Amino acid sequence: MTRTTVASLSRGELVRRLAHGGICLRLPPFVFRVQSSIPVVAEGIAALYSEYEWFPDGSEFSDFHVAVVKGRPFPKPLCVFEMDGMQPFTPLAAGEAFAFLEWGLNWCVTSYCHTWITVHSAVLERHGRVLIMPAPPGSGKSTLCAALLLNGWRLLSDEMALLDPATGLVTPSPRPVSLKNQSIEIIRKLAPSVVMGPVAYDTMKGNVAHMRAPADSLRRADEAALPAWVVFPRFVADAPASLEVRCKATSFMQLAENSFNQSVHGRRGFEALSDLIGRCDCYDFSYGRLDDAIAVFSKLPMPE
């Protein structure tokens, strides 16, 4: 069956559809109807979602209806994120509208999609096995994720692992990778041809830009895979790369702390995370140079 992608729309048609009723996008494994009349949102979607499928009006069920709308114009223009008419967040500066959309999409999934156990982490795959990297902001998780996917790993998600508690498999959700501050230029230098979306300046997280997900990761978005490694990364300026085996008990506790909804699943969620840790090799990883980190991850041993 032929897929109709966002790239098939002219910029003018994309802008018109976004502003009037929205555009229905398949962002695997979900479908979002996205609406906005703010120009930077159309700019971001055109740059980062050009290869994603869209559906004509009324032809596909949408899991979520979201919008980024104009807020108060004075003394500083603001924008507001909406989901089904609700406004769950404080308005942000209008220049942050596309970043606000990305953050809002993540919130929709983590707040309402309980088919999976969701864990805040970068997730990649190589040779059919999944690497899960849970980490707090400032750990270098997304920078490392971007570097690895540019060096042969498949992107499943920069933001969350979607763990199926019945099968133990991780469902891919490949979307743009969020980069902040110095990481934006670091990745641009590492891969000059990489496509970046609009930069949101002076946000609460500093300057934020998103890197387009690789086409191969999107093509393989229906291929779930089994976890093999849980690695807790930490960036330490100028430090040598260091990979150390981590106790499985503490790994389980920290993985549970990074889960958005493990408690919703009760005993089943506890057992699913326990099984995941049981089958994976667990490590602490610190690094100061991406080249060193890439070399270490290229040699990760398969669990027995």
Side-chain angles (χ1 to χ4, degrees):
M1 183 180 295
T2 303
R3 296 170 62 251
T4 305
T5 65
V6 172
S8 69
L9 296 170
S10 68
R11 180 62 68 88
E13 180 67 5
L14 175 61
V15 168
R16 186 190 70 78
R17 285 180 175 273
L18 281 170
H20 301 283
I23 183 171
C24 190
L25 294 172
R26 181 174 184 256
L27 309 181
F30 310 102
V31 176
F32 287 86
R33 179 170 291 277
V34 180
Q35 183 173 359
S36 183
S37 62
I38 301 175
V40 73
V41 174
E43 178 186 348
I45 290 175
L48 301 178
Y49 288 104
S50 61
E51 299 305 313
Y52 289 71
E53 189 173 10
W54 73 278
F55 304 96
D57 293 343
S59 67
E60 188 74 10
F61 173 82
S62 297
D63 297 290
F64 297 99
H65 291 73
V66 302
V68 183
V69 300
K70 294 178 181 178
R72 183 192 67 204
F74 300 105
K76 179 180 179 180
L78 298 178
C79 63
V80 180
F81 177 83
E82 295 183 347
M83 192 276 286
D84 290 342
M86 297 188 300
Q87 297 182 355
F89 305 113
T90 301
L92 297 179
E96 300 177 48
F98 180 73
F100 207 0
L101 172 64
E102 288 292 321
W103 298 331
L105 297 179
N106 294 336
W107 174 82
C108 288
V109 174
T110 57
S111 298
Y112 292 97
C113 293
H114 301 312
T115 300
W116 299 272
I117 299 171
T118 52
V119 180
H120 182 223
S121 58
V123 196
L124 302 110
E125 176 267 335
R126 188 184 65 172
H127 304 317
R129 302 303 296 274
V130 173
L131 163 67
I132 298 174
M133 294 194 294
S139 62
K141 166 185 69 70
S142 293
T143 312
L144 181 56
C145 175
L148 291 175
L149 70 87
L150 291 168
N151 282 271
W153 290 76
R154 173 168 66 112
L155 176 69
L156 274 64
S157 175
D158 169 50
E159 289 291 341
M160 67 193 81
L162 299 177
L163 176 68
D164 185 334
T167 65
L169 298 175
V170 174
T171 298
S173 185
R175 289 194 9 243
V177 176
S178 176
L179 299 170
K180 295 176 280 295
N181 303 315
Q182 296 93 334
S183 295
I184 300 170
E185 289 307 316
I186 288 171
I187 296 301
R188 278 180 171 153
K189 289 179 180 178
L190 182 66
S193 62
V194 74
V195 176
M196 294 278 190
V199 179
Y201 295 96
D202 301 323
T203 76
M204 290 184 294
K205 300 180 180 183
N207 297 339
V208 176
H210 291 79
M211 169 185 155
R212 187 161 70 183
D216 180 65
S217 296
L218 180 58
R219 281 193 297 268
R220 299 175 60 192
D222 294 328
E223 297 179 23
L226 193 67
W229 309 278
V230 177
V231 179
F232 298 88
R234 183 168 62 98
F235 175 78
V236 181
D238 301 321
S242 174
L243 185 71
E244 298 183 358
V245 174
R246 182 187 177 103
C247 167
K248 291 205 172 191
T250 59
S251 297
F252 170 82
M253 293 301 295
Q254 191 162 349
L255 192 69
E257 289 174 3
N258 278 271
S259 174
F260 295 100
N261 66 345
Q262 177 253 329
S263 61
V264 173
H265 291 262
R267 177 173 179 174
R268 189 186 193 199
F270 179 94
E271 291 175 346
L273 290 187
S274 178
D275 289 345
L276 184 153
I277 290 294
R279 74 169 62 96
C280 290
D281 286 345
C282 301
Y283 300 97
D284 281 314
F285 178 66
S286 59
Y287 74 101
R289 287 171 42 88
L290 281 178
D291 289 345
D292 296 339
I294 292 167
V296 168
F297 278 83
S298 70
K299 299 175 181 177
L300 274 177
M302 282 287 188
E304 296 181 359

